Amino acid sequence: MNKIVLGLVLGAVLGAFDGLTAWFTPEVRSQLLGIVIGSTIKGLIAGILIGYFARKVNSLPLGILFGLGVGLILAFIVAAMPNPAGKHYYFEIMLPGSIVGMIVGYATQRFGTTPYPATR
Amino acid sequence: MHHNDHFGNRAAFPPTRGSLLVELRSENPSERQRALDTLLSVYWKPVYKYIRLKWGKDAATAEDLTQDFFAEVIERNLLDRYDPKKAKLRTYLRLCIDGLASNEHKASQRLKRGGGVQVLPLDFITAEGEVAELEIPVPGNEDDFFAREWARSIFELSLARLQQDCEERGKAIHFKLLELYDVDEGGKEITYQDAARQFGIKPSDVTNYLAYARREFRKIVLQQIRLMTASDEEYRREARALLGVEPS
Amino acid sequence: MKLTDNALERLRSAVDLPDLEGTRYRLLEKLGQGGMGGVYRVEDTMLSRDVAMKVVTAPDGDGDLAARLMREAKVIARLEHSGIVPVHDVGQFPDGRVYYTMKLVQGKRLDAYIPELGSIPERLRLLQKICDAVGFAHARGVLHRDLKPQNIMVGPFGEVLVMDWGLSKIVREQEARNTAVISPKGGDENEVTAHGTVLGTPGYMAPEQQSGSGTLDARADVFSLGAILRFLLAETADVSIAPRSRALRAIVDKATAQDPNMRYDSTAALSNDLSAYLDGLSVNAYPEGALAKLWRWAVRNRVWLLMVLAYLVMRTLFILWRTR
């Protein structure tokens, strides 16, 4: 599995899981499906970006840092959108989101294959 | 002894012979004499130096003891009691010297008797000069000291023989090259080119001549060791100890 | 002609030099002296290259030594591996001494190279390279039978070269046949007398090899490799091995087990355990419980485990905060 695909899959899975934890927040429980779908897509996008970065840059610390940054930014975009009650959950979304980004960053640096350059 | 010159200066190793010990016990008087000459030429200096340094005797006493020792060998057939199975010849002789030196007063009485005791023409002056450059053997290392002097004696005589042989065969330069590189001090600094120029030969000849001389030297040394040892095993051991090689 | 002590030594050395007349070799310099004989740098005039020549001083009493060395050299010549020093030629000089020539190796003997090895992992990786070379030979039916630090050279780039394949064993057998007791001249160990007693430190020879009982197999070389490993580890003051020293000691013990059936059965098995040790995995030589294995897995994956833990803790804290 190459790094981009790995990032994609891992990002989506962790994103979905992250979205599911919203069930523990009663106020948003009714929008759970939307949250999960949104979180999954967020994770997918983050995973692709982080996986692509891992393909280009071979550095575990930088990979983790990049994952942190991407997770943080995408989580901010989501958190900036108010829920129907007009509330924002910056803390609850951005912090875990950044950690998920770090996990995907680590995994894509450690695992996944890079394609060999084509020989002429 | 019928030699007119000192033993130190004479090449005493004629070509291949059997063991010295066999010759010493020969019925033929001239063969016996030849064996004694050989034994003397190899051993007299080591004996003298050993007595001087290990026993701390002064030069005059050491001379007397050396003479007396060989008188024992010649007149009292000291070597009749030698058993090759028990020890090397060299070790046996050294122990005999120890016995003699420790009973010095008896030895001096014998010499004062006069009559029937031959005085051998040995170059003690040269030997004394060599003693000055040696160190007193450390207790426990007497065998090593005696072995070293024995080796020196064998090498010196072999060199003399090699020189004689080379001159007879018209290969004097071969010997001179060996002398230059392996005997004289400072031979290492002389390049083969310089040596070639010095002797009027090609540089490649220097390598070949040197190899020839070394090869012949080894043969002569091995012959002498063969002569001085009583068995095959002793011969191999002494050759190995002296040369670090196993003779073929 | 009076000879000084220096002259005596020079003559002795000169006489010891191999007589190359009639051979295709030209003597260049003496490289060293071992228990078996001198080693020289010579020029192979036919191929215009410098090679190392080992002149064997063991007496060839029954005239068979050269033939046996030649047979062995043929076998070794088929071993083409970067870690195996090839033998080029075997012969006999006009003066009767037997010689063999081999590739001239630049580098240091392992015992001299040791101070340049820093950490334990470096030493273990070096041993793995030796295992590779020896394993290659085993796969082709060739045992070394005399592995020890003196027979291993380390090149300028850290490459490992294993020397004296089988040949030194033949020479020792020859020496043991003769009555002469070898007097060590170069600090070489594992000398054998005619009576079969091993002089010096026999620690590198497998017990079944020392006793001469039974057929030898790869495990005899494994024993020697284990002894070399012990040597490599003994020469270090690296205290960082302490936490896992039991596993490493277990590897050494298994490799040097007195009973061949208790040893690693191949150099590959030894090398694999070394790899496992280097990777922080459990080793075959030191069986661990489930808990220890779990701990080891956790330590190996501590980075992402911590991240997952951080995520879970954070989520839990948010939930608790929300539900209070």
Side-chain angles (χ1 to χ4, degrees), chain A residues 17-18 21 24 27 89 91-92 95-96 99-100 102-103 106, chain C residues 300 303-304 307-308 310-312 314-315 318-319 321-323:
Chain A
F17 178 80
D18 197 33
T21 59
F24 292 100
E27 306 96 83
Y89 295 92
F91 221 44
E92 290 94 323
L95 221 48
I99 295 177
V100 167
M102 282 167 67
I103 293 173
Y106 176 84
Chain C
R300 236 178 28 253
V303 173
W304 72 265
M307 288 192 284
V308 168
Y311 173 84
L312 290 171
M314 205 168 297
R315 268 287 170 224
F318 284 141
I319 291 165
W321 183 50
R322 280 282 166 200
T323 56

PDB file of all heavy atoms in Angstrom, chain A residues 17-18 21 24 27 89 91-92 95-96 99-100 102-103 106, chain C residues 300 303-304 307-308 310-312 314-315 318-319 321-323:
ATOM      1  N   PHE A  17     -14.075   7.490  13.243  1.00  0.00           N
ATOM      2  CA  PHE A  17     -14.057   7.175  14.688  1.00  0.00           C
ATOM      3  C   PHE A  17     -14.162   8.455  15.510  1.00  0.00           C
ATOM      4  O   PHE A  17     -14.902   8.526  16.502  1.00  0.00           O
ATOM      5  CB  PHE A  17     -12.772   6.411  15.022  1.00  0.00           C
ATOM      6  CG  PHE A  17     -12.637   6.075  16.474  1.00  0.00           C
ATOM      7  CD1 PHE A  17     -13.320   4.989  17.024  1.00  0.00           C
ATOM      8  CD2 PHE A  17     -11.851   6.867  17.310  1.00  0.00           C
ATOM      9  CE1 PHE A  17     -13.216   4.681  18.379  1.00  0.00           C
ATOM     10  CE2 PHE A  17     -11.735   6.561  18.651  1.00  0.00           C
ATOM     11  CZ  PHE A  17     -12.422   5.470  19.186  1.00  0.00           C
ATOM     12  N   ASP A  18     -13.395   9.448  15.086  1.00  0.00           N
ATOM     13  CA  ASP A  18     -13.411  10.728  15.791  1.00  0.00           C
ATOM     14  C   ASP A  18     -14.805  11.347  15.765  1.00  0.00           C
ATOM     15  O   ASP A  18     -15.296  11.903  16.757  1.00  0.00           O
ATOM     16  CB  ASP A  18     -12.379  11.666  15.147  1.00  0.00           C
ATOM     17  CG  ASP A  18     -12.019  12.839  16.032  1.00  0.00           C
ATOM     18  OD1 ASP A  18     -12.006  12.664  17.261  1.00  0.00           O
ATOM     19  OD2 ASP A  18     -11.748  13.934  15.489  1.00  0.00           O
ATOM     20  N   THR A  21     -17.295   9.858  18.251  1.00  0.00           N
ATOM     21  CA  THR A  21     -17.179  10.256  19.666  1.00  0.00           C
ATOM     22  C   THR A  21     -18.077  11.453  19.977  1.00  0.00           C
ATOM     23  O   THR A  21     -18.281  11.797  21.148  1.00  0.00           O
ATOM     24  CB  THR A  21     -15.711  10.604  20.037  1.00  0.00           C
ATOM     25  OG1 THR A  21     -15.266  11.664  19.189  1.00  0.00           O
ATOM     26  CG2 THR A  21     -14.815   9.399  19.885  1.00  0.00           C
ATOM     27  N   PHE A  24     -21.019  11.381  22.559  1.00  0.00           N
ATOM     28  CA  PHE A  24     -20.908  11.684  23.984  1.00  0.00           C
ATOM     29  C   PHE A  24     -21.264  13.138  24.292  1.00  0.00           C
ATOM     30  O   PHE A  24     -21.300  13.538  25.449  1.00  0.00           O
ATOM     31  CB  PHE A  24     -19.477  11.381  24.486  1.00  0.00           C
ATOM     32  CG  PHE A  24     -19.154   9.922  24.483  1.00  0.00           C
ATOM     33  CD1 PHE A  24     -18.412   9.370  23.444  1.00  0.00           C
ATOM     34  CD2 PHE A  24     -19.618   9.087  25.491  1.00  0.00           C
ATOM     35  CE1 PHE A  24     -18.121   8.010  23.435  1.00  0.00           C
ATOM     36  CE2 PHE A  24     -19.329   7.726  25.486  1.00  0.00           C
ATOM     37  CZ  PHE A  24     -18.580   7.183  24.449  1.00  0.00           C
ATOM     38  N   GLU A  27     -25.727  17.571  23.044  1.00  0.00           N
ATOM     39  CA  GLU A  27     -26.309  18.650  22.231  1.00  0.00           C
ATOM     40  C   GLU A  27     -26.193  18.393  20.740  1.00  0.00           C
ATOM     41  O   GLU A  27     -26.969  18.905  19.941  1.00  0.00           O
ATOM     42  CB  GLU A  27     -25.598  20.002  22.506  1.00  0.00           C
ATOM     43  CG  GLU A  27     -25.560  20.418  23.970  1.00  0.00           C
ATOM     44  CD  GLU A  27     -24.251  20.022  24.639  1.00  0.00           C
ATOM     45  OE1 GLU A  27     -23.263  20.766  24.499  1.00  0.00           O
ATOM     46  OE2 GLU A  27     -24.234  18.934  25.250  1.00  0.00           O
ATOM     47  N   TYR A  89     -17.343  24.410  18.692  1.00  0.00           N
ATOM     48  CA  TYR A  89     -16.620  23.483  19.584  1.00  0.00           C
ATOM     49  C   TYR A  89     -15.148  23.403  19.155  1.00  0.00           C
ATOM     50  O   TYR A  89     -14.642  22.364  18.767  1.00  0.00           O
ATOM     51  CB  TYR A  89     -17.253  22.095  19.522  1.00  0.00           C
ATOM     52  CG  TYR A  89     -18.663  22.048  20.067  1.00  0.00           C
ATOM     53  CD1 TYR A  89     -19.768  22.231  19.211  1.00  0.00           C
ATOM     54  CD2 TYR A  89     -18.897  21.859  21.430  1.00  0.00           C
ATOM     55  CE1 TYR A  89     -21.053  22.212  19.706  1.00  0.00           C
ATOM     56  CE2 TYR A  89     -20.186  21.841  21.938  1.00  0.00           C
ATOM     57  CZ  TYR A  89     -21.268  22.019  21.068  1.00  0.00           C
ATOM     58  OH  TYR A  89     -22.533  21.998  21.572  1.00  0.00           O
ATOM     59  N   PHE A  91     -12.296  23.691  20.792  1.00  0.00           N
ATOM     60  CA  PHE A  91     -11.418  22.857  21.608  1.00  0.00           C
ATOM     61  C   PHE A  91     -11.616  21.375  21.320  1.00  0.00           C
ATOM     62  O   PHE A  91     -10.662  20.632  21.072  1.00  0.00           O
ATOM     63  CB  PHE A  91     -11.723  23.142  23.082  1.00  0.00           C
ATOM     64  CG  PHE A  91     -10.483  23.220  23.925  1.00  0.00           C
ATOM     65  CD1 PHE A  91      -9.361  23.911  23.501  1.00  0.00           C
ATOM     66  CD2 PHE A  91     -10.429  22.598  25.172  1.00  0.00           C
ATOM     67  CE1 PHE A  91      -8.221  23.987  24.277  1.00  0.00           C
ATOM     68  CE2 PHE A  91      -9.299  22.688  25.956  1.00  0.00           C
ATOM     69  CZ  PHE A  91      -8.190  23.381  25.521  1.00  0.00           C
ATOM     70  N   GLU A  92     -12.902  20.979  21.383  1.00  0.00           N
ATOM     71  CA  GLU A  92     -13.220  19.551  21.259  1.00  0.00           C
ATOM     72  C   GLU A  92     -12.932  19.000  19.866  1.00  0.00           C
ATOM     73  O   GLU A  92     -12.826  17.793  19.674  1.00  0.00           O
ATOM     74  CB  GLU A  92     -14.709  19.292  21.573  1.00  0.00           C
ATOM     75  CG  GLU A  92     -15.064  19.480  23.018  1.00  0.00           C
ATOM     76  CD  GLU A  92     -15.593  20.885  23.295  1.00  0.00           C
ATOM     77  OE1 GLU A  92     -15.065  21.843  22.672  1.00  0.00           O
ATOM     78  OE2 GLU A  92     -16.511  21.030  24.087  1.00  0.00           O
ATOM     79  N   LEU A  95      -8.312  19.972  18.984  1.00  0.00           N
ATOM     80  CA  LEU A  95      -7.278  19.238  19.725  1.00  0.00           C
ATOM     81  C   LEU A  95      -7.198  17.772  19.299  1.00  0.00           C
ATOM     82  O   LEU A  95      -6.131  17.299  18.884  1.00  0.00           O
ATOM     83  CB  LEU A  95      -7.562  19.361  21.228  1.00  0.00           C
ATOM     84  CG  LEU A  95      -6.337  19.595  22.120  1.00  0.00           C
ATOM     85  CD1 LEU A  95      -5.447  20.703  21.578  1.00  0.00           C
ATOM     86  CD2 LEU A  95      -6.780  19.933  23.536  1.00  0.00           C
ATOM     87  N   PRO A  96      -8.317  17.034  19.383  1.00  0.00           N
ATOM     88  CA  PRO A  96      -8.247  15.650  18.908  1.00  0.00           C
ATOM     89  C   PRO A  96      -7.902  15.561  17.431  1.00  0.00           C
ATOM     90  O   PRO A  96      -7.212  14.644  17.005  1.00  0.00           O
ATOM     91  CB  PRO A  96      -9.654  15.103  19.170  1.00  0.00           C
ATOM     92  CG  PRO A  96     -10.244  16.004  20.193  1.00  0.00           C
ATOM     93  CD  PRO A  96      -9.666  17.344  19.911  1.00  0.00           C
ATOM     94  N   ILE A  99      -4.230  15.641  16.941  1.00  0.00           N
ATOM     95  CA  ILE A  99      -3.585  14.380  17.340  1.00  0.00           C
ATOM     96  C   ILE A  99      -3.801  13.315  16.273  1.00  0.00           C
ATOM     97  O   ILE A  99      -2.880  12.563  15.922  1.00  0.00           O
ATOM     98  CB  ILE A  99      -4.109  13.890  18.707  1.00  0.00           C
ATOM     99  CG1 ILE A  99      -3.703  14.887  19.808  1.00  0.00           C
ATOM    100  CG2 ILE A  99      -3.544  12.516  19.027  1.00  0.00           C
ATOM    101  CD1 ILE A  99      -4.235  14.539  21.171  1.00  0.00           C
ATOM    102  N   VAL A 100      -5.018  13.266  15.732  1.00  0.00           N
ATOM    103  CA  VAL A 100      -5.283  12.306  14.647  1.00  0.00           C
ATOM    104  C   VAL A 100      -4.360  12.592  13.470  1.00  0.00           C
ATOM    105  O   VAL A 100      -3.795  11.682  12.850  1.00  0.00           O
ATOM    106  CB  VAL A 100      -6.767  12.363  14.225  1.00  0.00           C
ATOM    107  CG1 VAL A 100      -6.982  11.636  12.913  1.00  0.00           C
ATOM    108  CG2 VAL A 100      -7.658  11.769  15.304  1.00  0.00           C
ATOM    109  N   MET A 102      -1.411  13.859  13.646  1.00  0.00           N
ATOM    110  CA  MET A 102      -0.070  13.394  14.030  1.00  0.00           C
ATOM    111  C   MET A 102       0.043  11.887  13.842  1.00  0.00           C
ATOM    112  O   MET A 102       1.062  11.385  13.358  1.00  0.00           O
ATOM    113  CB  MET A 102       0.198  13.750  15.506  1.00  0.00           C
ATOM    114  CG  MET A 102       0.576  15.214  15.714  1.00  0.00           C
ATOM    115  SD  MET A 102       0.526  15.693  17.453  1.00  0.00           S
ATOM    116  CE  MET A 102       1.862  14.754  18.112  1.00  0.00           C
ATOM    117  N   ILE A 103      -1.026  11.179  14.233  1.00  0.00           N
ATOM    118  CA  ILE A 103      -1.000   9.708  14.093  1.00  0.00           C
ATOM    119  C   ILE A 103      -0.867   9.326  12.620  1.00  0.00           C
ATOM    120  O   ILE A 103      -0.070   8.453  12.248  1.00  0.00           O
ATOM    121  CB  ILE A 103      -2.262   9.071  14.716  1.00  0.00           C
ATOM    122  CG1 ILE A 103      -2.259   9.277  16.238  1.00  0.00           C
ATOM    123  CG2 ILE A 103      -2.342   7.583  14.391  1.00  0.00           C
ATOM    124  CD1 ILE A 103      -3.539   8.838  16.923  1.00  0.00           C
ATOM    125  N   TYR A 106       2.670  10.059  11.429  1.00  0.00           N
ATOM    126  CA  TYR A 106       3.610   9.022  11.881  1.00  0.00           C
ATOM    127  C   TYR A 106       3.486   7.760  11.042  1.00  0.00           C
ATOM    128  O   TYR A 106       4.471   7.191  10.567  1.00  0.00           O
ATOM    129  CB  TYR A 106       3.338   8.710  13.358  1.00  0.00           C
ATOM    130  CG  TYR A 106       4.187   7.584  13.909  1.00  0.00           C
ATOM    131  CD1 TYR A 106       5.470   7.808  14.372  1.00  0.00           C
ATOM    132  CD2 TYR A 106       3.693   6.279  13.950  1.00  0.00           C
ATOM    133  CE1 TYR A 106       6.248   6.774  14.881  1.00  0.00           C
ATOM    134  CE2 TYR A 106       4.466   5.235  14.446  1.00  0.00           C
ATOM    135  CZ  TYR A 106       5.732   5.494  14.907  1.00  0.00           C
ATOM    136  OH  TYR A 106       6.505   4.461  15.397  1.00  0.00           O
TER     137      TYR A 106
ATOM    138  N   ARG C 300       8.608  -0.678  21.473  1.00  0.00           N
ATOM    139  CA  ARG C 300       8.956  -0.476  20.064  1.00  0.00           C
ATOM    140  C   ARG C 300       8.009   0.484  19.369  1.00  0.00           C
ATOM    141  O   ARG C 300       8.384   1.202  18.460  1.00  0.00           O
ATOM    142  CB  ARG C 300       8.919  -1.835  19.347  1.00  0.00           C
ATOM    143  CG  ARG C 300      10.223  -2.168  18.660  1.00  0.00           C
ATOM    144  CD  ARG C 300      10.306  -3.493  17.975  1.00  0.00           C
ATOM    145  NE  ARG C 300       9.104  -4.062  17.481  1.00  0.00           N
ATOM    146  CZ  ARG C 300       8.492  -5.100  18.040  1.00  0.00           C
ATOM    147  NH1 ARG C 300       8.966  -5.636  19.128  1.00  0.00           N
ATOM    148  NH2 ARG C 300       7.394  -5.582  17.514  1.00  0.00           N
ATOM    149  N   VAL C 303       5.857   5.555  20.201  1.00  0.00           N
ATOM    150  CA  VAL C 303       5.501   6.877  19.666  1.00  0.00           C
ATOM    151  C   VAL C 303       4.007   6.944  19.355  1.00  0.00           C
ATOM    152  O   VAL C 303       3.280   7.790  19.904  1.00  0.00           O
ATOM    153  CB  VAL C 303       6.342   7.213  18.415  1.00  0.00           C
ATOM    154  CG1 VAL C 303       5.852   8.510  17.779  1.00  0.00           C
ATOM    155  CG2 VAL C 303       7.806   7.347  18.786  1.00  0.00           C
ATOM    156  N   TRP C 304       3.549   6.036  18.505  1.00  0.00           N
ATOM    157  CA  TRP C 304       2.139   6.161  18.119  1.00  0.00           C
ATOM    158  C   TRP C 304       1.211   5.690  19.233  1.00  0.00           C
ATOM    159  O   TRP C 304       0.076   6.167  19.353  1.00  0.00           O
ATOM    160  CB  TRP C 304       1.863   5.473  16.782  1.00  0.00           C
ATOM    161  CG  TRP C 304       1.860   3.991  16.750  1.00  0.00           C
ATOM    162  CD1 TRP C 304       2.879   3.173  16.423  1.00  0.00           C
ATOM    163  CD2 TRP C 304       0.746   3.142  17.035  1.00  0.00           C
ATOM    164  NE1 TRP C 304       2.486   1.878  16.475  1.00  0.00           N
ATOM    165  CE2 TRP C 304       1.186   1.810  16.851  1.00  0.00           C
ATOM    166  CE3 TRP C 304      -0.583   3.368  17.415  1.00  0.00           C
ATOM    167  CZ2 TRP C 304       0.359   0.717  17.046  1.00  0.00           C
ATOM    168  CZ3 TRP C 304      -1.415   2.266  17.607  1.00  0.00           C
ATOM    169  CH2 TRP C 304      -0.941   0.951  17.431  1.00  0.00           C
ATOM    170  N   MET C 307       0.551   8.681  21.191  1.00  0.00           N
ATOM    171  CA  MET C 307      -0.375   9.588  20.505  1.00  0.00           C
ATOM    172  C   MET C 307      -1.815   9.100  20.650  1.00  0.00           C
ATOM    173  O   MET C 307      -2.736   9.891  20.914  1.00  0.00           O
ATOM    174  CB  MET C 307       0.007   9.716  19.020  1.00  0.00           C
ATOM    175  CG  MET C 307       1.273  10.536  18.812  1.00  0.00           C
ATOM    176  SD  MET C 307       1.590  11.003  17.097  1.00  0.00           S
ATOM    177  CE  MET C 307       2.165   9.475  16.432  1.00  0.00           C
ATOM    178  N   VAL C 308      -1.985   7.793  20.494  1.00  0.00           N
ATOM    179  CA  VAL C 308      -3.332   7.229  20.638  1.00  0.00           C
ATOM    180  C   VAL C 308      -3.826   7.441  22.060  1.00  0.00           C
ATOM    181  O   VAL C 308      -4.982   7.838  22.298  1.00  0.00           O
ATOM    182  CB  VAL C 308      -3.326   5.725  20.272  1.00  0.00           C
ATOM    183  CG1 VAL C 308      -4.623   5.060  20.702  1.00  0.00           C
ATOM    184  CG2 VAL C 308      -3.090   5.538  18.789  1.00  0.00           C
ATOM    185  N   ALA C 310      -2.882   9.771  24.086  1.00  0.00           N
ATOM    186  CA  ALA C 310      -3.163  11.206  24.272  1.00  0.00           C
ATOM    187  C   ALA C 310      -4.552  11.540  23.721  1.00  0.00           C
ATOM    188  O   ALA C 310      -5.335  12.273  24.345  1.00  0.00           O
ATOM    189  CB  ALA C 310      -2.090  12.034  23.569  1.00  0.00           C
ATOM    190  N   TYR C 311      -4.856  10.980  22.554  1.00  0.00           N
ATOM    191  CA  TYR C 311      -6.180  11.208  21.949  1.00  0.00           C
ATOM    192  C   TYR C 311      -7.288  10.685  22.854  1.00  0.00           C
ATOM    193  O   TYR C 311      -8.273  11.382  23.128  1.00  0.00           O
ATOM    194  CB  TYR C 311      -6.237  10.530  20.579  1.00  0.00           C
ATOM    195  CG  TYR C 311      -7.607  10.562  19.962  1.00  0.00           C
ATOM    196  CD1 TYR C 311      -8.032  11.678  19.242  1.00  0.00           C
ATOM    197  CD2 TYR C 311      -8.488   9.492  20.120  1.00  0.00           C
ATOM    198  CE1 TYR C 311      -9.292  11.726  18.687  1.00  0.00           C
ATOM    199  CE2 TYR C 311      -9.754   9.532  19.563  1.00  0.00           C
ATOM    200  CZ  TYR C 311     -10.154  10.639  18.851  1.00  0.00           C
ATOM    201  OH  TYR C 311     -11.406  10.689  18.314  1.00  0.00           O
ATOM    202  N   LEU C 312      -7.109   9.467  23.339  1.00  0.00           N
ATOM    203  CA  LEU C 312      -8.142   8.853  24.169  1.00  0.00           C
ATOM    204  C   LEU C 312      -8.317   9.609  25.484  1.00  0.00           C
ATOM    205  O   LEU C 312      -9.451   9.831  25.945  1.00  0.00           O
ATOM    206  CB  LEU C 312      -7.792   7.385  24.446  1.00  0.00           C
ATOM    207  CG  LEU C 312      -7.892   6.457  23.231  1.00  0.00           C
ATOM    208  CD1 LEU C 312      -7.330   5.077  23.543  1.00  0.00           C
ATOM    209  CD2 LEU C 312      -9.341   6.337  22.743  1.00  0.00           C
ATOM    210  N   MET C 314      -7.667  12.724  25.992  1.00  0.00           N
ATOM    211  CA  MET C 314      -8.295  14.005  25.686  1.00  0.00           C
ATOM    212  C   MET C 314      -9.795  13.845  25.489  1.00  0.00           C
ATOM    213  O   MET C 314     -10.603  14.608  26.013  1.00  0.00           O
ATOM    214  CB  MET C 314      -7.640  14.564  24.429  1.00  0.00           C
ATOM    215  CG  MET C 314      -7.747  16.073  24.360  1.00  0.00           C
ATOM    216  SD  MET C 314      -6.700  16.715  23.085  1.00  0.00           S
ATOM    217  CE  MET C 314      -5.124  16.239  23.691  1.00  0.00           C
ATOM    218  N   ARG C 315     -10.156  12.871  24.713  1.00  0.00           N
ATOM    219  CA  ARG C 315     -11.583  12.609  24.433  1.00  0.00           C
ATOM    220  C   ARG C 315     -12.306  12.311  25.736  1.00  0.00           C
ATOM    221  O   ARG C 315     -13.406  12.818  25.981  1.00  0.00           O
ATOM    222  CB  ARG C 315     -11.748  11.419  23.484  1.00  0.00           C
ATOM    223  CG  ARG C 315     -11.799  11.793  22.037  1.00  0.00           C
ATOM    224  CD  ARG C 315     -13.127  12.455  21.688  1.00  0.00           C
ATOM    225  NE  ARG C 315     -13.058  13.023  20.338  1.00  0.00           N
ATOM    226  CZ  ARG C 315     -13.512  14.217  20.034  1.00  0.00           C
ATOM    227  NH1 ARG C 315     -14.073  14.972  20.939  1.00  0.00           N
ATOM    228  NH2 ARG C 315     -13.436  14.665  18.787  1.00  0.00           N
ATOM    229  N   PHE C 318     -12.849  15.416  27.719  1.00  0.00           N
ATOM    230  CA  PHE C 318     -13.925  16.243  27.167  1.00  0.00           C
ATOM    231  C   PHE C 318     -15.291  15.673  27.552  1.00  0.00           C
ATOM    232  O   PHE C 318     -16.217  16.400  27.905  1.00  0.00           O
ATOM    233  CB  PHE C 318     -13.815  16.333  25.638  1.00  0.00           C
ATOM    234  CG  PHE C 318     -12.737  17.256  25.169  1.00  0.00           C
ATOM    235  CD1 PHE C 318     -11.957  16.939  24.068  1.00  0.00           C
ATOM    236  CD2 PHE C 318     -12.479  18.445  25.836  1.00  0.00           C
ATOM    237  CE1 PHE C 318     -10.957  17.795  23.637  1.00  0.00           C
ATOM    238  CE2 PHE C 318     -11.478  19.290  25.409  1.00  0.00           C
ATOM    239  CZ  PHE C 318     -10.709  18.964  24.304  1.00  0.00           C
ATOM    240  N   ILE C 319     -15.404  14.365  27.448  1.00  0.00           N
ATOM    241  CA  ILE C 319     -16.682  13.710  27.769  1.00  0.00           C
ATOM    242  C   ILE C 319     -17.041  13.952  29.226  1.00  0.00           C
ATOM    243  O   ILE C 319     -18.180  14.320  29.564  1.00  0.00           O
ATOM    244  CB  ILE C 319     -16.619  12.205  27.452  1.00  0.00           C
ATOM    245  CG1 ILE C 319     -16.556  12.001  25.923  1.00  0.00           C
ATOM    246  CG2 ILE C 319     -17.804  11.452  28.047  1.00  0.00           C
ATOM    247  CD1 ILE C 319     -16.132  10.611  25.494  1.00  0.00           C
ATOM    248  N   TRP C 321     -16.006  16.296  31.093  1.00  0.00           N
ATOM    249  CA  TRP C 321     -16.265  17.713  31.312  1.00  0.00           C
ATOM    250  C   TRP C 321     -17.665  18.073  30.844  1.00  0.00           C
ATOM    251  O   TRP C 321     -18.371  18.842  31.485  1.00  0.00           O
ATOM    252  CB  TRP C 321     -15.210  18.522  30.552  1.00  0.00           C
ATOM    253  CG  TRP C 321     -15.317  20.000  30.757  1.00  0.00           C
ATOM    254  CD1 TRP C 321     -15.419  20.675  31.930  1.00  0.00           C
ATOM    255  CD2 TRP C 321     -15.349  20.968  29.715  1.00  0.00           C
ATOM    256  NE1 TRP C 321     -15.488  22.026  31.703  1.00  0.00           N
ATOM    257  CE2 TRP C 321     -15.453  22.244  30.341  1.00  0.00           C
ATOM    258  CE3 TRP C 321     -15.285  20.906  28.310  1.00  0.00           C
ATOM    259  CZ2 TRP C 321     -15.495  23.422  29.611  1.00  0.00           C
ATOM    260  CZ3 TRP C 321     -15.338  22.101  27.624  1.00  0.00           C
ATOM    261  CH2 TRP C 321     -15.443  23.336  28.261  1.00  0.00           C
ATOM    262  N   ARG C 322     -18.035  17.476  29.765  1.00  0.00           N
ATOM    263  CA  ARG C 322     -19.356  17.763  29.206  1.00  0.00           C
ATOM    264  C   ARG C 322     -20.464  17.198  30.079  1.00  0.00           C
ATOM    265  O   ARG C 322     -21.536  17.772  30.192  1.00  0.00           O
ATOM    266  CB  ARG C 322     -19.489  17.146  27.804  1.00  0.00           C
ATOM    267  CG  ARG C 322     -18.845  17.954  26.730  1.00  0.00           C
ATOM    268  CD  ARG C 322     -19.720  19.120  26.350  1.00  0.00           C
ATOM    269  NE  ARG C 322     -18.954  20.079  25.553  1.00  0.00           N
ATOM    270  CZ  ARG C 322     -19.305  21.345  25.397  1.00  0.00           C
ATOM    271  NH1 ARG C 322     -20.386  21.806  25.965  1.00  0.00           N
ATOM    272  NH2 ARG C 322     -18.575  22.152  24.674  1.00  0.00           N
ATOM    273  N   THR C 323     -20.231  16.062  30.626  1.00  0.00           N
ATOM    274  CA  THR C 323     -21.302  15.380  31.361  1.00  0.00           C
ATOM    275  C   THR C 323     -21.352  15.744  32.835  1.00  0.00           C
ATOM    276  O   THR C 323     -22.176  15.253  33.576  1.00  0.00           O
ATOM    277  CB  THR C 323     -21.151  13.841  31.254  1.00  0.00           C
ATOM    278  OG1 THR C 323     -19.853  13.496  31.722  1.00  0.00           O
ATOM    279  CG2 THR C 323     -21.351  13.364  29.849  1.00  0.00           C
TER     280      THR C 323
END
